[in-house]
Amino acid sequence: MMSWFFFSLLLGLWARDGQAGGLMPPQKVNLDADNAAQQLSVTWEGSQATSFDMEILRTELMEIVLNETVFVKLNLSTGRYQRNWTSPVPLECTSLSVKVRSRDGQDVSEWSPQQILPGKDLPYKAEAQMYPEVKVVPVGSNMTFCCIVAEGQQFGSMWYSQTRLNETMLSRRTYAATVTNQSLSKPSGTNVFCSNEKTTIKTADAGAVVFVGYPPLPSDLVCETHDLVSVSCAWTEGRKTYLYGTQRKTNYTLNGRACSIEKGPMQCGLDQWEGFWTLVAYNPLGQVRLTDAAELDHRVRPLAPVNLSPRVVQALNAIVEWRWSIEGYKTLSLICQVHLTNLWNNSTKTYTGVGLNSVVLKDLEPDEDYSARVRCGVQKNFWKWGEWSSALAFKTKMDRPDAPDVWVWMNSDDFGRVLWKPLTKRQSHGQITGYEVTLWSPEENIQQTVTLPRTTHSLPINGTDRGSTVMVTARNPAGVSRPASVVVPGQIPDEKEIPVSRVAFNGSGFSLSWAAHANASCGYVWEWYRTGCALDCSVEWTRVAPDNTSAVVQSSDFMSGVRYTLSVYACSSEAPRLLERWHGYMQELAPSMSVPGLSLDQKGSDVQLTWEQIPLEQQRGFILGYNVYLTHTSHPTLYANITDPQLTNLTVSHLSPGSYKFTVKAYTTAGEDEGVTGFISLKPYTDWLILEILVSLGVMTCLLTLISSLCYRKRKWVKKAFYPEIPEPKLPGSWGITQGTLDVKPSPHSMVHIVENPEWESSKEALVTVPEEDEDEDGDEPLALRYYNHVVGEGSTSGRHPYAFDSSASSIGSMDSGRTDVTYTGIQTSASSPVPPQPDASGPGRRVGGGGYQPQCSWKPDSSDAEDGGLDCMGSPTSVTSSQFLLPEDTSSPEGKENLSSATTWFHHFLTGKT
């Protein structure tokens, strides 16, 4: 077993010695560092191999940074091999150890002696440091920074501007951090800080600055000549680099000669024309090359003319001349532009000629200020226009004015005005001094001329000027204009002939259109003014061509809420003829005032509302109607919507008594006005009731008067029919009659028996025959013998009612003998009107009871017994067939009895005709 071990060991040593002896290790390894580029150059010699293994380590921690096999050819001029390595970390951050060995397939040589690139973190560099200190990098690049803390301090943190970085330890004192995809930095760069554990970003131990930008990118190199000798090249800078400062800005060279460009256009010149030019632009991030080539006569751009001056200036033309600063231009065929500007417009005119140095400007405006500039180019092989010259100012002379624009406006047959527009500065051709207006009547062949100041632009006319021709001329210091004329219309058409329509404002103006008219030889005129103006109206008008039958009326003077009248007239050699007329608003608004003159009148249970129309100026829109609101016990409600703006009344019917509030509001398309309110309190309507009562009373009075008159005229018939004569009894003795009101309670019937030839009792009195001659001679009753026998039984002691008459009492008589017996059977007294019995004076035991009802009569008994007996009034024996009214007896007061007696007496006299 041991023998096999030694055999294997010897075999391995042999293989190792044979391998080392086949390849020579690299000799004289050398390290060169480019710290700015963070590049390490490793060179060596003494080997015939073409591939090598290279290993780079961080010396202090012996961390491998690079271990790779590279293929390197021998540099025959130096006899050495070279390999360049770019480090992601600045080379100053820490020490690096490098060794190289030769390789031939699987055979390798010994490693070369280790070479060390010392870093800045060695103990003798005890202060804090940061690398790279200053760096310029392109936008979007990645970059690693390292911080070397001071000896004896502990690492704290690293910051990229305001962003903290994640660090990695490279050695005892060195820490590194990487920033990716860097954006543009400020002109002063981006600061990177490093601090220890005891400091902050504001008190950092060390720092660095990085500038992030772009490489130059110029374009469009163009070279040309101005003086036919030298060359001037220009280019476009292109994208900005955002790198500033002497060491970072972009530098330029033209054909190898530096160009000094501080500010302004990118231009560089050479004293001589070379025909080929190369521009190089470079900065720390890169460089760009541009080229251009051309022949001299193909790149001539003349300089600007100098010393412009007006040689001759008239009202309508002028001559302008200039000089050239380059003598060679005098032999060149030039093309020049003159740019002319005035208050109204600007124009450019082109002129050509060899060595051109003057031009004639035509079609100018009189009395106008102009400004002229000139630039030129070479007509043959034209390259570019030269620069503009300085501006030349001049003013043309005055000329006579243009004819004014004349119009006639009539607001009635008796009043109007001739109007003309003030001439503009372009039309006046000088200061206007005045106007002349001539009125010529062809019928009377009379001409009148009046001179007006320049501030007057109208002349009043009246009805006598109808059909006259008006001519207006303007005057300035240079002369008088041509006359402008218009014929005054003979009459004004009314709305029946030319109805007025409504036109809407479409945002830019009023769009009008009309039918073509055969007599519109000079076109059409449309005018507009504020509706409702009476005398001094501001009238505007515009003329259009005969083939134009539409227009959009525009004006900066149009205002919201103002009604305008727009009209179209046919223009001819005769008076203008009105074709169509419109009313319109630029913008309708709600009325500015409430409906005026609201009044409320009660008509029975109805209320009539009347109001007036809003004045035109306060309407501010087309009044579409009125809204009437009613308020009684709740919130206002819309009672009626009146869509006829001409209707200014409303009747509200069938209202119950109470308080009401009415509000009337006019409205346009923009809304309602604020409204006017009226209050009314409806009371029960008593007028008609009073009138009905009065009419009824009047009718009743008339009827009663008529009936009374008829009754009076027919009183005998009425008396006979309704009040027949009742005989009046004649009784002996004295009868006291007390009249009273009858009791209305019904009484039982009484039976009256007339017995012929009874036996006479001495205890009873006989009836007295009343002779005819004792009758009232002036009475209307028929003559008859009246018999009365009033016998009142004394009553029996057998318990009969004390107020009843005795049924056994009788009266005996006859018409032949003058004695008749009348028996009163069952004549009852009213229980409601008792009369106490009283003794009879004629005999013992006789009692008379008062009855409850009495006839309507005025007779008086002759017997004194009646008075003694207290009888009020007894009925007639024939009362059962009488039509006389029985009245209830009134025993309450003597006055009542007298009134009753008086009333019955009056009625009796009325029927009998007595007074």
Side-chain angles (χ1 to χ4, degrees):
M1 188 68 179
M2 292 295 295
S3 61
W4 277 104
F5 174 74
F6 285 110
F7 177 76
S8 299
L9 180 60
L10 291 173
L11 183 62
L13 292 173
W14 175 82
R16 175 186 174 190
D17 293 341
Q19 187 178 35
L23 293 175
M24 294 291 295
Q27 304 294 322
K28 298 182 180 179
V29 177
N30 189 31
L31 303 178
D32 291 322
D34 184 354
N35 293 333
Q38 297 183 189
Q39 191 175 75
L40 177 63
S41 178
V42 183
T43 60
W44 64 89
E45 61 181 26
S47 176
Q48 301 297 323
T50 58
S51 61
F52 301 89
D53 293 335
M54 180 178 293
E55 190 175 71
I56 302 177
L57 303 88
R58 294 192 180 99
T59 305
E60 186 171 331
L61 300 180
M62 294 305 293
E63 292 179 349
I64 296 176
V65 179
L66 177 68
N67 186 358
E68 65 177 359
T69 299
V70 295
F71 296 90
V72 181
K73 293 182 179 181
L74 179 64
N75 189 338
L76 299 178
S77 61
T78 60
R80 296 179 64 86
Y81 297 92
Q82 181 176 353
R83 173 64 177 174
N84 295 329
W85 171 69
T86 301
S87 173
V89 179
L91 298 178
E92 299 94 336
C93 293
T94 187
S95 300
L96 298 176
S97 297
V98 180
K99 57 183 178 179
V100 183
R101 69 180 178 181
S102 301
R103 172 178 289 276
D104 185 8
Q106 296 298 322
D107 296 338
V108 294
S109 68
E110 293 286 342
W111 289 101
S112 66
Q114 185 171 272
Q115 301 295 318
I116 297 176
L117 179 67
K120 302 296 185 180
D121 58 347
L122 297 178
Y124 70 90
K125 301 267 305 175
E127 69 276 4
Q129 305 165 66
M130 192 163 193
Y131 297 97
E133 295 179 335
V134 178
K135 190 74 172 179
V136 180
V137 296
V139 173
S141 61
N142 302 332
M143 188 173 179
T144 300
F145 300 89
C146 68
C147 174
I148 304 175
V149 299
E151 190 68 40
Q153 299 292 333
Q154 295 295 325
F155 175 78
S157 59
M158 293 180 64
W159 296 80
Y160 183 87
S161 186
Q162 302 296 323
T163 303
R164 181 169 181 174
L165 303 177
N166 297 323
E167 68 279 354
T168 300
M169 184 176 180
L170 302 183
S171 67
R172 179 176 60 88
R173 295 171 53 196
T174 303
Y175 293 82
T178 301
V179 180
T180 61
N181 193 21
Q182 295 182 93
S183 60
L184 284 171
S185 63
K186 298 183 294 185
S188 59
T190 301
N191 296 321
V192 185
F193 302 97
C194 174
S195 62
N196 58 42
E197 60 180 352
K198 297 181 180 180
T199 59
T200 63
I201 187 173
K202 296 183 179 180
T203 59
D205 291 342
V209 180
V210 59
F211 295 92
V212 183
Y214 294 102
L217 192 63
S219 62
D220 303 329
L221 175 65
V222 175
C223 298
E224 61 189 11
T225 181
H226 299 291
D227 57 4
L228 306 178
V229 177
S230 61
V231 62
S232 176
C233 297
W235 62 91
T236 302
E237 181 182 9
R239 179 187 60 195
K240 291 185 176 181
T241 64
Y242 297 96
L243 299 176
Y244 306 95
T246 305
Q247 298 179 355
R248 292 174 297 276
K249 70 175 185 177
T250 301
N251 296 300
Y252 299 91
T253 62
L254 182 63
N255 285 0
R257 282 161 285 190
C259 298
S260 177
I261 300 175
E262 296 297 333
K263 293 182 180 179
M266 299 289 104
Q267 291 182 354
C268 188
L270 299 176
D271 295 337
Q272 294 295 324
W273 183 271
E274 298 182 3
F276 186 85
W277 305 274
T278 299
L279 177 71
V280 177
Y282 60 94
N283 70 4
L285 299 180
Q287 71 174 20
V288 176
R289 297 172 64 90
L290 299 176
T291 60
D292 186 29
E295 296 181 6
L296 186 144
D297 57 354
H298 288 196
R299 297 288 181 89
V300 178
R301 185 182 185 188
L303 297 173
V306 296
N307 299 336
L308 266 70
S309 62
R311 182 192 304 172
V312 178
V313 177
Q314 300 293 338
L316 302 177
N317 54 69
I319 298 176
V320 177
E321 61 182 7
W322 61 88
R323 291 181 58 254
W324 292 111
S325 58
I326 304 299
E327 290 294 328
Y329 293 170
K330 296 180 179 180
T331 59
L332 294 178
S333 179
L334 300 177
I335 178 172
C336 297
Q337 286 183 335
V338 179
H339 184 71
L340 203 60
T341 304
N342 63 0
L343 184 63
W344 315 107
N345 56 25
N346 58 78
S347 61
T348 301
K349 298 181 179 180
T350 303
Y351 304 88
T352 59
V354 177
L356 187 63
N357 62 355
S358 66
V359 294
V360 177
L361 304 177
K362 299 180 180 180
D363 300 327
L364 303 179
E365 296 290 340
D367 193 43
E368 192 68 54
D369 293 315
Y370 284 95
S371 175
R373 296 186 302 164
V374 180
R375 67 177 181 178
C376 297
V378 177
Q379 189 173 8
K380 183 180 179 181
N381 300 322
F382 180 82
W383 165 239
K384 288 182 180 180
W385 287 108
E387 297 295 329
W388 284 106
S389 67
S390 300
L392 168 66
F394 64 93
K395 184 174 184 179
T396 55
K397 295 182 179 181
M398 290 188 294
D399 197 3
R400 67 175 189 169
D402 292 343
D405 186 357
V406 181
W407 183 242
V408 59
W409 176 77
M410 302 289 293
N411 70 339
S412 67
D413 289 339
D414 297 327
F415 179 79
R417 285 190 299 147
V418 176
L419 310 168
W420 58 92
K421 293 183 179 180
L423 295 178
T424 65
K425 188 176 186 303
R426 189 176 183 181
Q427 296 170 334
S428 61
H429 304 163
Q431 181 66 45
I432 297 296
T433 58
Y435 297 94
E436 289 184 358
V437 182
T438 301
L439 276 76
W440 175 67
S441 176
E443 296 180 357
E444 301 177 0
N445 195 20
I446 297 175
Q447 179 173 309
Q448 301 176 0
T449 301
V450 59
T451 301
L452 301 174
R454 63 184 181 89
T455 57
T456 301
H457 304 98
S458 66
L459 180 67
I461 56 177
N462 51 42
T464 61
D465 298 321
R466 291 195 296 264
S468 300
T469 299
V470 181
M471 294 174 289
V472 180
T473 58
R475 179 183 297 274
N476 69 3
V480 179
S481 69
R482 294 179 293 102
S485 62
V486 65
V487 179
V488 180
Q491 63 180 2
I492 303 298
D494 56 16
E495 293 186 359
K496 295 181 179 179
E497 300 178 10
I498 304 295
V500 179
S501 305
R502 293 183 179 180
V503 61
F505 193 86
N506 60 8
S508 59
F510 294 102
S511 296
L512 308 181
S513 61
W514 57 90
H517 196 273
N519 293 334
S521 58
C522 58
Y524 301 93
V525 178
W526 35 269
E527 70 170 13
W528 71 95
Y529 54 88
R530 292 182 62 156
T531 307
C533 66
L535 299 177
D536 192 14
C537 292
S538 176
V539 182
E540 300 289 340
W541 69 94
T542 301
R543 301 179 183 273
V544 295
D547 58 347
N548 192 352
T549 57
S550 64
V552 177
V553 181
Q554 298 175 325
S555 176
S556 59
D557 296 331
F558 285 148
M559 295 185 297
S560 300
V562 177
R563 181 182 296 185
Y564 294 94
T565 299
L566 304 97
S567 308
V568 172
Y569 295 82
C571 175
S572 65
S573 59
E574 300 175 353
R577 181 172 182 177
L578 178 62
L579 302 181
E580 291 192 45
R581 176 163 287 171
W582 299 267
H583 285 164
Y585 288 87
M586 186 189 80
Q587 180 183 6
E588 291 193 52
L589 304 176
S592 61
M593 71 172 290
S594 302
V595 174
L598 177 63
S599 64
L600 285 74
D601 296 324
Q602 180 179 354
K603 303 291 185 181
S605 63
D606 301 343
V607 175
Q608 185 175 15
L609 287 75
T610 58
W611 60 88
E612 300 174 3
Q613 292 187 349
I614 298 177
L616 178 62
E617 291 186 359
Q618 282 74 39
Q619 292 182 11
R620 305 203 303 174
F622 293 112
I623 300 296
L624 302 180
Y626 303 90
N627 287 329
V628 180
Y629 297 88
L630 171 62
T631 303
H632 182 36
T633 58
S634 60
H635 296 291
T637 57
L638 179 62
Y639 177 79
N641 171 240
I642 301 174
T643 57
D644 183 3
Q646 303 301 322
L647 185 62
T648 57
N649 61 81
L650 176 68
T651 300
V652 183
S653 304
H654 308 301
L655 296 177
S656 58
S659 296
Y660 294 88
K661 180 175 74 171
F662 292 92
T663 301
V664 180
K665 296 183 178 182
Y667 64 90
T668 67
T669 56
E672 299 176 330
D673 63 22
E674 295 182 356
V676 59
T677 300
F679 298 86
I680 189 170
S681 180
L682 294 185
K683 298 180 180 179
Y685 191 59
T686 59
D687 293 350
W688 285 103
L689 180 59
I690 295 173
L691 182 61
E692 290 176 359
I693 294 174
L694 292 177
V695 171
S696 301
L697 291 176
V699 172
M700 291 176 64
T701 302
C702 293
L703 289 176
L704 290 175
T705 302
L706 179 62
I707 292 172
S708 300
S709 176
L710 291 175
C711 290
Y712 182 78
R713 294 173 65 108
K714 301 292 183 179
R715 59 186 180 277
K716 292 183 179 182
W717 178 84
V718 173
K719 178 176 181 296
K720 183 182 292 185
F722 296 99
Y723 200 87
E725 189 72 23
I726 298 175
E728 182 177 333
K730 293 291 186 177
L731 298 179
S734 175
W735 291 70
I737 302 301
T738 302
Q739 300 197 15
T741 305
L742 290 177
D743 189 354
V744 296
K745 291 183 179 181
S747 298
H749 295 288
S750 296
M751 299 298 295
V752 179
H753 300 279
I754 302 176
V755 181
E756 297 288 340
N757 299 321
E759 291 185 0
W760 178 255
E761 296 181 5
S762 60
S763 60
K764 298 181 181 178
E765 296 180 353
L767 293 175
V768 179
T769 302
V770 181
E772 292 182 40
E773 54 267 22
D774 294 337
E775 297 254 317
D776 262 342
E777 294 181 358
D778 53 354
D780 292 335
E781 299 178 8
L783 296 178
L785 180 62
R786 302 169 186 172
Y787 299 96
Y788 296 91
N789 188 8
H790 197 112
V791 179
V792 179
E794 183 177 351
S796 65
T797 60
S798 60
R800 189 186 301 178
H801 193 280
Y803 305 123
F805 293 105
D806 187 0
S807 62
S808 64
S810 65
S811 176
I812 301 172
S814 68
M815 296 183 61
D816 295 333
S817 61
R819 300 174 63 89
T820 301
D821 289 341
V822 180
T823 301
Y824 290 85
T825 303
I827 298 177
Q828 302 294 327
T829 61
S830 175
S832 61
S833 303
V835 178
Q838 295 194 12
D840 189 5
S842 65
R846 304 192 68 177
R847 304 177 66 89
V848 178
Y853 290 88
Q854 59 183 359
Q856 221 179 66
C857 61
S858 60
W859 57 267
K860 296 181 175 61
D862 297 330
S863 176
S864 62
D865 295 338
E867 296 177 359
D868 298 336
L871 294 175
D872 292 335
C873 181
M874 291 301 295
S876 169
T878 62
S879 62
V880 291
T881 61
S882 174
S883 61
Q884 179 179 356
F885 299 106
L886 298 180
L887 300 178
E889 182 179 351
D890 185 6
T891 61
S892 60
S893 64
E895 292 81 3
K897 295 178 181 180
E898 293 177 0
N899 292 339
L900 178 59
S901 177
S902 176
T904 55
T905 302
W906 176 85
F907 190 66
H908 176 73
H909 290 173
F910 175 77
L911 293 177
T912 57
K914 296 180 180 181
T915 58

